[in-house]
Amino acid sequence: MNTIFWAKPDQTYEAHINLAYEAWKETVLAKKNLIQRVGKELGFSEGRFLKSSLLTVVLHDIGKNIEPFQKMMNAKRKGERFDKRENYRHELVSFSFAIQGSVGLRNQDGVLTLLPLEALAILGHHKKINTDLQSFSRECTSIKPNFYEDGMNKALQLAEEIFTKEGFSFPKIPIHKYDSYADASKLIGYDGAFSKIFEKEKNPDSIRIIYLLLKAILHYADWYGSAEMDVNYSLKTHADDLFKDIEKRCVEKKIKYNGLRPFQEECACTLGNVIAVAPTGSGKTEASLLWALNNLQNMDGGKLIYLLPTMVTANSIFTRLEDYFGKGNVGLTHSTASFMFQDEEDNPENVRNILFDKSFIKPATVATIDQLLTSGFNTGKWTLIEANAANSVIVIDEIHSYDSWTLGLIIESIKHFSKLGTRFMLMSATLPEYFINLFSKALTNVSMIRDETLLNSCRNHYQIFDKIIDDAIPDIEKSVNKGIKTLVVVNNVAKCQELYNKLEHLHPMCYHSKFILKDRKEKEKDIDNQKLLIATQVVEVSLDIDFDVMFCECAPPDAIVQRAGRVNRRREKSDSWISIFKASDISKKIYDPEDSGLLTRSFEIFKNSPEKLTENDLIKIVEDVYSGIDIENSPNFIDASKQYSKTQERLMGIFDNPNREDKNEVTRKVDYLQIPVIPSIFIAEALSLPPSQRRLYEVKMPYWYVLKHKEQNEDITFCEMKYDSVIGAQFADDTQVSSLII
């Protein structure tokens, strides 16, 4: 009687490997251009790489043909419990076989690298790998598992058959009881051979690129094979299809549609890198999608990756892209993205989709910029993120929104992915010439596209008041009582809450970053229907809201322009006003910690400008305020530009990052650390929820404050504070410093 060996409770070993092989064929076809590009750069043939890649697929689960794993599968199939402490990591066993296969390929087909990267890709396809082998600490003291020789023979026979189908010769691999932990330790342990070979490598970057490609393709094969799904790699939508969808969206939104604007048409027909500058309401999103689709067609396929500065804006753009491209074709990833799909949490397929989203696997992905930047620190699913971002199109919206540290990382990422065939579109409503020159140096053959049609148009009237925004309360009351949709924007949370209390009789909405996720989601559903919205700078970017007038504290000019874009958004009103008031002392700590006079300059230039400001006037104001700026020579920019190299040297290119405490391995620099906690009033609710749902009750609070007011309960950090769903979080008794919450 033939013994059946299982790869998963519902898949035999043979079935899983064959399904993974089919997914591999689809994946390498989709990544053909990238493989060829990297091969040309690093000096190997497409065929040589494919042999190594296929080796990882046919051997990645061979270690499942051992006694502990098969016992676990049989228990699961019977619905019985299995003590996982008795298991032995199958990928560790597979690793030893893959080393033999890697050496065999090198002997018969030539060197891809001096390191058995195929074996390392297999070792790390489930767990993190680094030199302390922490993921396999149990196996360090475990007895070597019993092999099923029949299962191993069948697995190698199947591997040889698959190689033969591809016209490849499968290397000879002996079967015996390998000491897999010792094998891994000899290669990647602290005194292992890997570090010595890495030091001698003339092009260490090549090790990283080959490794991440091998591992990413293995993930595709394994995940799609397990799901028994066809690989859905690129968008099927063409630009012509999008034209019709844009018209339909305009009709639904009651926006007059007279065809594409000249700016959109120019973006659509431009191939290669683009810097696009256009006022809010110019249709930048649709312009970027038309650019992306035509470039993807020109590139023979690839991913569309759309990056934004905040989670709120990412959620908004995700919904729009899903409307255009269809459910299942667009992924969303940021720190709380899974809660966008909580209604589907009982659907097992949803878990897989979230994993796909985090890895940029969907044909299109919407994410915060951080999701791309962290890949350079080897965190998360970094191999997949890099392999999917390579040879794709990336849109970075609101490119003006980042500080010097994040900009340094962005510039280095642009340079890195450009070498891998990625095309970029950088977009902003306002972008000083200095920044245009900065990005132009990082991008090759970049086209500059401006929306010239609106340069001489005036969206709003501006008036400047040499007093604080509290003095505007009578005018705010008059505005709301007249039925005028009124927006109030201040620079910190405490001021937002203070104004809400003073204007509570007008039934405003208070909106800022210090709400638990559950409450913030509820507010966002109804934010555009408010007669009075009192908010912080969280409204500045990519929110599709439209008000009639705005009262705001002075901020840098690009921020003012973004805020003003939420007023008379569609340019159909003739009497919309922007009223700018003096910046508070707290505002200076937020926007100008180095006391360069940025806010003073901004206020004075607006004060000395005409009431009717055209888009051209606003661009000139931004240029004037930022004249003389030199970000490239700022310490943060310089340090950020070197950080990826430092991290890669420490991790020798391929190891997963075990150290998330490094203050420089971050995508955003902050003056004081804020950490997510759950307000103490939600202890009962939080403890009754599964861990995955507790984040709905989290809010970020300053670390120093949490240290003073925290309480631990079942490893959850709760924090004493004032909290309600209307006004958000406030410090418990530290009213003298409440204005520092931003």
Side-chain angles (χ1 to χ4, degrees):
M1 183 175 75
N2 287 331
T3 304
I4 297 176
F5 296 97
W6 298 94
K8 299 181 179 298
D10 58 348
Q11 273 186 353
T12 66
Y13 179 86
E14 182 178 0
H16 176 65
I17 296 301
N18 278 320
L19 286 165
Y21 167 52
E22 292 301 319
W24 175 83
K25 287 195 292 185
E26 296 177 67
T27 305
V28 294
L29 182 62
K31 290 193 178 291
K32 184 180 181 70
N33 290 340
L34 176 60
I35 293 168
Q36 290 177 340
R37 183 185 190 95
V38 170
K40 186 176 180 181
E41 178 86 14
L42 301 181
F44 59 77
S45 69
E46 179 184 2
R48 178 63 185 87
F49 176 84
L50 291 179
K51 289 173 185 175
S52 284
S53 179
L54 186 56
L55 186 79
T56 68
V57 174
V58 298
L59 294 182
H60 78 282
D61 275 352
I62 192 170
K64 289 182 175 180
N65 294 289
I66 57 175
E67 186 177 332
F69 187 86
Q70 290 304 311
K71 279 185 176 180
M72 182 169 67
M73 288 298 99
N74 285 318
K76 287 188 175 184
R77 286 177 54 76
K78 294 174 184 176
E80 298 172 356
R81 293 188 64 182
F82 179 84
D83 187 348
K84 290 187 177 180
R85 290 174 296 181
E86 296 179 11
N87 188 31
Y88 192 96
R89 295 301 313 180
H90 70 273
E91 63 266 40
L92 191 57
V93 177
S94 301
F95 168 79
S96 293
F97 282 84
I99 285 180
Q100 300 298 319
S102 178
V103 172
L105 280 183
R106 192 188 309 162
N107 291 337
Q108 71 183 30
D109 295 301
V111 176
L112 185 62
T113 76
L114 294 174
L115 290 159
L117 296 182
E118 304 93 336
L120 289 169
I122 287 173
L123 184 65
H125 81 280
H126 284 301
K127 296 283 190 178
K128 292 181 178 180
I129 59 168
N130 43 60
T131 53
D132 65 5
L133 290 171
Q134 180 63 36
S135 296
F136 307 99
S137 57
R138 179 185 61 202
E139 285 70 22
C140 174
T141 56
S142 297
I143 299 171
K144 288 186 286 185
N146 290 325
F147 287 17
Y148 288 111
E149 194 165 330
D150 183 32
M152 293 295 186
N153 277 320
K154 286 180 179 177
L156 290 174
Q157 184 180 342
L158 177 60
E160 187 169 5
E161 289 170 0
I162 290 173
F163 258 61
T164 301
K165 286 179 185 178
E166 291 296 314
F168 301 158
S169 175
F170 187 69
K172 296 294 182 185
I173 299 176
I175 297 175
H176 62 78
K177 220 174 177 183
Y178 295 102
D179 188 341
S180 297
Y181 187 88
D183 290 344
S185 186
K186 287 174 186 173
L187 180 62
I188 65 173
Y190 285 118
D191 297 319
F194 186 99
S195 60
K196 297 179 179 66
I197 297 172
F198 184 82
E199 287 173 7
K200 295 177 182 176
E201 179 63 49
K202 294 178 180 177
N203 183 8
D205 288 345
S206 66
I207 292 175
R208 176 184 171 83
I209 292 171
I210 293 170
Y211 171 77
L212 71 87
L213 260 181
L214 287 170
K215 190 178 175 189
I217 293 169
L218 173 58
H219 276 306
Y220 265 87
D222 189 22
W223 292 359
Y224 275 104
S226 297
E228 299 186 34
M229 293 167 56
D230 292 332
V231 175
N232 181 20
Y233 195 84
S234 293
L235 292 169
K236 308 297 188 296
T237 306
H238 290 274
D240 292 342
D241 302 319
L242 190 58
F243 292 148
K244 300 170 189 173
D245 290 334
I246 291 172
E247 183 175 8
K248 180 182 174 185
R249 177 180 171 82
C250 287
V251 171
E252 290 173 352
K253 291 275 187 179
K254 297 180 181 177
I255 302 171
K256 183 188 270 187
Y257 181 74
N258 297 315
L260 294 180
R261 295 170 178 167
F263 164 76
Q264 292 173 318
E265 289 181 343
E266 188 175 357
C267 288
C269 67
T270 302
L271 297 178
N273 298 314
V274 167
I275 298 173
V277 180
T280 303
S282 298
K284 287 198 296 293
T285 301
E286 282 68 25
S288 69
L289 298 181
L290 291 166
W291 168 83
L293 291 176
N294 280 326
N295 274 269
L296 287 173
Q297 187 175 358
N298 175 257
M299 295 161 65
D300 241 356
K303 308 286 187 185
L304 162 59
I305 298 167
Y306 203 111
L307 303 175
L308 296 122
T310 67
M311 293 182 287
V312 175
T313 55
N315 293 345
S316 174
I317 294 296
F318 165 76
T319 302
R320 196 185 308 188
L321 264 62
E322 197 173 52
D323 286 343
Y324 285 142
F325 301 132
K327 196 173 178 65
N329 290 317
V330 186
L332 175 68
T333 179
H334 53 68
S335 61
T336 59
S338 60
F339 293 110
M340 280 283 287
F341 314 105
Q342 66 185 101
D343 295 338
E344 306 169 25
E345 64 182 2
D346 294 330
N347 180 356
E349 190 172 307
N350 187 50
V351 176
R352 184 179 63 246
N353 285 339
I354 291 171
L355 185 61
F356 279 19
D357 288 0
K358 288 181 177 179
S359 311
F360 289 17
I361 278 185
K362 296 281 182 67
T365 296
V366 179
T368 52
I369 190 76
D370 314 86
Q371 306 304 313
L372 180 72
L373 299 184
T374 52
S375 68
F377 299 134
N378 289 23
T379 61
K381 302 296 181 186
W382 66 271
T383 55
L384 275 161
I385 289 172
E386 285 210 24
N388 287 327
N391 210 59
S392 291
V393 295
I394 296 181
V395 177
I396 305 181
D397 200 359
E398 315 292 1
I399 189 66
H400 66 278
S401 302
Y402 303 102
D403 63 17
S404 56
W405 175 269
T406 306
L407 272 177
L409 297 180
I410 289 173
I411 293 292
E412 291 307 306
S413 295
I414 287 173
K415 292 176 182 176
H416 171 72
F417 286 107
S418 292
K419 292 176 183 176
L420 298 175
T422 304
R423 299 181 188 182
F424 287 89
M425 174 180 267
L426 312 181
M427 300 198 301
S428 176
T430 56
L431 201 61
E433 205 63 34
Y434 175 85
F435 286 96
I436 291 172
N437 293 335
L438 179 66
F439 294 127
S440 296
K441 284 189 283 187
L443 292 164
T444 54
N445 303 318
V446 61
S447 300
M448 183 72 212
I449 302 178
R450 297 181 187 270
D451 186 352
E452 305 283 356
T453 59
L454 295 173
L455 284 181
N456 295 316
S457 69
C458 173
R459 186 205 299 268
N460 301 308
H461 301 263
Y462 286 77
Q463 50 189 354
I464 315 302
F465 295 92
D466 202 357
K467 49 188 178 180
I468 63 173
I469 198 164
D470 298 68
D471 296 326
I473 286 177
D475 292 324
I476 295 170
E477 290 174 327
K478 286 178 189 175
S479 176
V480 176
N481 288 331
K482 286 180 181 178
I484 298 170
K485 280 189 72 176
T486 305
L487 173 63
V488 178
V489 184
V490 293
N491 295 336
N492 65 299
V493 173
K495 175 57 70 174
C496 182
Q497 294 167 330
E498 180 188 329
L499 285 181
Y500 172 86
N501 288 329
K502 291 179 179 180
L503 293 165
E504 188 174 2
H505 57 285
L506 298 176
H507 309 293
M509 176 186 281
C510 183
Y511 180 68
H512 51 70
S513 62
K514 289 291 181 281
F515 287 98
I516 63 171
L517 181 61
K518 179 173 174 284
D519 291 337
R520 195 164 170 180
K521 285 182 64 179
E522 285 302 311
K523 287 177 178 290
E524 286 161 12
K525 292 177 183 176
D526 200 38
I527 195 170
D528 196 34
N529 297 322
Q530 301 302 309
K531 292 179 181 177
L532 173 59
L533 176 65
I534 304 173
T536 60
Q537 51 269 62
V538 294
V539 298
E540 285 179 8
V541 289
S542 296
L543 279 182
D544 192 5
I545 57 176
D546 188 16
F547 286 80
D548 301 330
V549 298
M550 178 176 74
F551 298 81
C552 79
E553 288 188 299
C554 188
D558 45 340
I560 293 288
V561 172
Q562 288 298 125
R563 296 176 188 186
R566 313 305 132 194
V567 177
N568 193 13
R569 188 166 177 80
R570 299 186 183 109
R571 302 173 182 272
E572 296 168 348
K573 303 162 189 172
S574 58
D575 194 30
S576 55
W577 283 87
I578 307 298
S579 299
I580 302 175
F581 294 80
K582 289 173 65 176
S584 64
D585 290 338
I586 294 301
S587 300
K588 293 172 185 175
K589 291 180 181 179
I590 296 166
Y591 286 112
D592 192 18
E594 296 177 1
D595 198 21
S596 68
L598 173 64
L599 292 181
T600 303
R601 243 177 8 257
S602 300
F603 188 78
E604 289 302 316
I605 289 178
F606 271 109
K607 187 177 179 180
N608 294 317
S609 298
E611 178 185 292
K612 288 187 174 182
L613 291 173
T614 65
E615 298 298 339
N616 215 15
D617 292 330
L618 292 169
I619 290 171
K620 188 174 185 308
I621 288 173
V622 173
E623 288 288 353
D624 289 346
V625 170
Y626 285 104
S627 62
I629 194 169
D630 189 10
I631 282 180
E632 286 175 282
N633 287 318
S634 70
N636 270 349
F637 185 92
I638 293 170
D639 290 344
S641 301
K642 298 173 181 176
Q643 187 56 49
Y644 283 145
S645 296
K646 289 181 179 178
T647 299
Q648 293 312 317
E649 184 177 351
R650 179 171 66 84
L651 299 174
M652 290 179 278
I654 72 159
F655 293 116
D656 297 296
N657 200 335
N659 178 18
R660 295 302 294 131
E661 300 301 318
D662 190 317
K663 64 181 181 180
N664 289 321
E665 290 178 345
V666 293
T667 58
R668 318 251 183 160
K669 283 274 183 158
V670 292
D671 289 331
Y672 62 99
L673 179 64
Q674 300 198 63
I675 60 173
V677 293
I678 297 177
S680 295
I681 62 168
F682 296 121
I683 287 178
E685 289 94 329
L687 292 176
S688 69
L689 291 170
S692 63
Q693 292 299 303
R694 289 173 186 156
R695 295 195 67 183
L696 284 168
Y697 289 86
E698 286 183 350
V699 63
K700 285 189 175 181
M701 296 294 281
Y703 181 62
W704 61 264
Y705 179 82
V706 174
L707 285 179
K708 288 174 64 178
H709 296 88
K710 71 176 180 176
E711 52 181 302
Q712 295 294 131
N713 193 320
E714 293 189 12
D715 296 326
I716 308 169
T717 302
F718 293 95
C719 185
E720 184 63 37
M721 68 184 78
K722 297 175 186 175
Y723 186 88
D724 66 57
S725 61
V726 175
I727 202 168
Q730 294 177 286
F731 292 150
D733 299 308
D734 303 85
T735 52
Q736 73 276 14
V737 291
S738 62
S739 56
L740 291 177
I741 300 182
I742 59 174

